[in-house]
Amino acid sequence: MGRNVVLGVDSSTQSTKVLAVDTDTGEVVARGQAPHVVSTGAARETDPEVWWRALGEALAQVGPYAAQAAAISVGGQQHGLVVLDREGRPVRPALLWNDVQSAPQAAALVAAHGAQWWAKRFGSVPGASFTVTKWAWLAEHEPEAAKAAAAVRLPHDFLTERLTGAAVTDRGDVSGTGWWATDTETYDSGLLDTIGLDPALLPRVLGPGDAAGTTLPGLPLRAGALVASGTGDNAAAALGLGLAPGQAALSLGTSGTVFTPSVARPADPSGVVAGFAGAHGGWLPLACTLNCTLAVDKIAALLGRDREAVEGGGSAVVLPFLDGERTPNLPYASGLLTGLRHDTTPGQILQAAYDGAVYTLLGALDEVLAVDGGAPSDEPLLLIGGGARGTAWRETVRRLSGRAVRIPVAEELVALGAAAQAAALLTGETPAAVARRWNTTAGPVHDPVERDDAALDRLGTELARTFGAG
Ligand SMILES: Nc1ncnc2c1ncn2[C@@H]1O[C@H](COP(=O)(O)OP(=O)(O)O)[C@@H](O)[C@H]1O
Ligand SMILES: O=C(CO)[C@@H](O)[C@H](O)COP(=O)(O)O
């Protein structure tokens, strides 16, 4: 007898990953992965057709499970602006979450209404990552493309629609647009009017547990398989970990993120904490940096060193803002290296890059955990994302946080969370209950070590001195 299998997809910045997961046990029985192309230079863009082709390639790698799976769900990188024509073809490449060209539009939108208004109504103060600022940029710089729009989607909506034909999104991902009000859980027609975006172009927002539909014929999938709503990648990871309020995750990928579910609706006027909705109800306060694994890998490459070839000690400080930065909000910043002495070694400079990438995430973690008013939790911090496989990343987080860290053995928590969402459609459980049944957080716990306050002080001083940020 064949296994009961579901498929979970993570269409993230650098690649698409597909997991085929045994619904009963949570065992990953097959996996596939195919790379994306992200533009270099001033813009960060990817043609959505690249995601669609990558999904096909990754599905091909899971072999017969693609046609066997009874349900599928797509988690995707958040915020990206996908503009489609009447035939559902991209009008132009998608503007990604880490494209900071819309920083002037973000500043103008915040100035027009005030940070308090944004936080209170939308749960977030939009920086250049938010979709609303990208639409404003498009309307200003490429009005013909904006006029040609017959549909506006997020990355995961685009893929879900290709699978089902349904124009839908979910509350987790839509909460990162900046045009969906978290206080009323509706699109804000007044705001859409001011940015010239017709609400008819937007997808319907599904509720927790709703299905998007079933697979269209002609796909390399079981005809009529259930397709879950999908969600943004961080919300999917929260599902994949079965996170409960007070349990926090730190994700080390192209972006660095920290998040925890909360009962209270986040509304941080400082803009550090984004007030996202959870995929299955509740809230998901989150902070995100633009420069994480790619930035540190680039610095390792510039130094001609393996990413693990770090050395402790010394006084070097690196602020690895190679793409500008979002936390703190410094979209025009570039990377900075200071504190060099005659005895500084290349390995110390590389370690300083890791420190610089982790520093603001840990500061933001306390703010994320404070949304529910609790004291910072003593629970081990769950470390996920590609970087969690690296010793240098793990040891940097331990040394700068002074906290215990747990590394789940399960990799690809976003795809696993999508798979849990798909399985939940079949079993009637919540995705979190599925994830707990699958024991997705199992993995070694690394005990706390003494916090390196000297390194934290050096970084804090440099951020304040150079950028006036802390
Ligand atoms: N063994 C490893 N050690 C440290 N870093 C790793 C390892 N394997 C992958 N990575 C890092 O993981 C990153 C990709 O992580 P991932 O979470 O898949 O990114 P994204 O979801 O943004 O596409 C790469 O940029 C790479 O630096
Ligand atoms: O913008 C955010 C969160 O607000 C990013 O976390 C993106 O969702 C991209 O994620 P990765 O590709 O780095 O996983």
Side-chain angles (χ1 to χ4, degrees):
M1 207 176 80
R3 289 171 184 265
N4 296 316
V5 170
V6 288
L7 298 170
V9 178
D10 174 10
S11 174
S12 58
T13 313
Q14 297 186 51
S15 65
T16 298
K17 303 141 196 178
V18 174
L19 297 184
V21 184
D22 185 312
T23 316
D24 302 316
T25 64
E27 184 193 346
V28 175
V29 294
R31 62 182 74 217
Q33 182 163 5
H36 300 163
V37 183
V38 179
S39 65
T40 52
R44 291 284 175 274
E45 301 178 343
T46 297
D47 181 351
E49 298 291 359
V50 167
W51 302 330
W52 181 238
R53 281 197 295 273
L55 177 57
E57 286 167 36
L59 280 172
Q61 292 169 34
V62 303
Y65 293 115
Q68 192 181 318
I72 179 170
S73 177
V74 180
Q77 55 176 305
Q78 293 184 243
H79 310 296
L81 177 70
V82 178
V83 180
L84 304 174
D85 67 14
R86 286 189 192 293
E87 276 72 50
R89 287 182 310 237
V91 165
R92 72 178 312 291
L95 295 160
L96 304 188
W97 62 279
N98 54 351
D99 185 309
V100 292
Q101 292 179 102
S102 59
Q105 287 72 26
L109 282 163
V110 174
H113 301 281
Q116 291 281 359
W117 181 83
W118 282 99
K120 212 166 146 219
R121 186 142 178 66
F122 295 89
S124 304
V125 182
S129 291
F130 281 69
T131 331
V132 64
T133 73
K134 298 182 186 302
W135 177 264
W137 181 89
L138 191 75
E140 200 174 316
H141 291 270
E142 299 181 12
E144 291 312 315
K147 254 188 242 138
V152 169
R153 301 285 181 264
L154 291 166
H156 105 265
D157 312 341
F158 166 75
L159 293 170
T160 303
E161 191 166 358
R162 286 267 169 115
L163 294 177
T164 60
V168 292
T169 189
D170 85 299
R171 73 191 287 276
D173 216 9
V174 78
S175 64
T177 56
W179 54 56
W180 188 78
T182 58
D183 64 348
T184 54
E185 304 208 13
T186 57
Y187 287 125
D188 187 310
S189 51
L191 178 71
L192 289 170
D193 199 39
T194 54
I195 61 166
L197 177 54
D198 179 355
L201 305 192
L202 298 175
R204 183 165 59 88
V205 184
L206 296 172
D210 289 349
T214 52
T215 48
L216 291 167
L219 299 171
L221 292 164
R222 176 161 142 184
L226 279 174
V227 182
S229 65
T231 191
D233 53 3
N234 291 289
L239 295 182
L241 293 164
L243 282 189
Q247 284 183 305
L250 193 160
S251 173
L252 300 162
T254 314
S255 63
T257 60
V258 282
F259 51 91
T260 186
S262 69
V263 177
R265 185 177 72 91
D268 173 18
S270 81
V272 169
V273 178
F276 298 143
H280 202 84
W283 303 98
L284 192 70
L286 176 148
C288 175
T289 60
L290 294 190
N291 299 284
C292 194
T293 56
L294 273 188
V296 172
D297 280 354
K298 170 51 79 91
I299 290 166
L302 290 174
L303 293 165
R305 294 181 82 77
D306 182 87
R307 63 159 77 100
E308 294 292 356
V310 291
E311 288 174 64
S315 53
V317 173
V318 174
L319 297 176
F321 301 158
L322 308 192
D323 266 332
E325 192 35 78
R326 164 168 165 186
T327 310
N329 185 18
L330 299 167
Y332 307 111
S334 53
L336 178 123
L337 164 61
T338 185
L340 299 185
R341 297 286 179 195
H342 276 289
D343 58 359
T344 305
T345 66
Q348 288 172 341
I349 296 175
L350 181 56
Q351 179 59 65
Y354 280 94
D355 288 7
V358 165
Y359 172 80
T360 42
L361 284 172
L362 292 175
L365 174 63
D366 293 337
E367 296 186 46
V368 157
L369 283 163
V371 168
D372 264 351
S377 162
D378 286 335
E379 290 237 11
L381 189 54
L382 288 153
L383 215 56
I384 62 169
R389 287 178 234 158
T391 307
W393 280 112
R394 183 190 72 216
E395 291 309 310
T396 303
V397 172
R398 289 177 77 200
R399 187 172 53 77
L400 295 188
S401 69
R403 295 172 61 119
V405 162
R406 183 195 286 275
I407 319 260
V409 173
E411 291 175 1
E412 310 305 350
L413 269 307
V414 175
L416 205 53
Q421 199 187 41
L425 277 184
L426 299 172
T427 65
E429 296 163 283
T430 63
V434 173
R436 289 192 202 110
R437 181 163 62 73
W438 288 353
N439 201 14
T440 53
T441 57
V445 175
H446 300 266
D447 289 337
V449 295
E450 191 181 345
R451 200 172 63 181
D452 186 348
D453 287 326
L456 294 171
D457 284 349
R458 277 199 302 277
L459 277 154
T461 304
E462 201 49 53
L463 260 173
R465 195 168 68 89
T466 312
F467 296 111

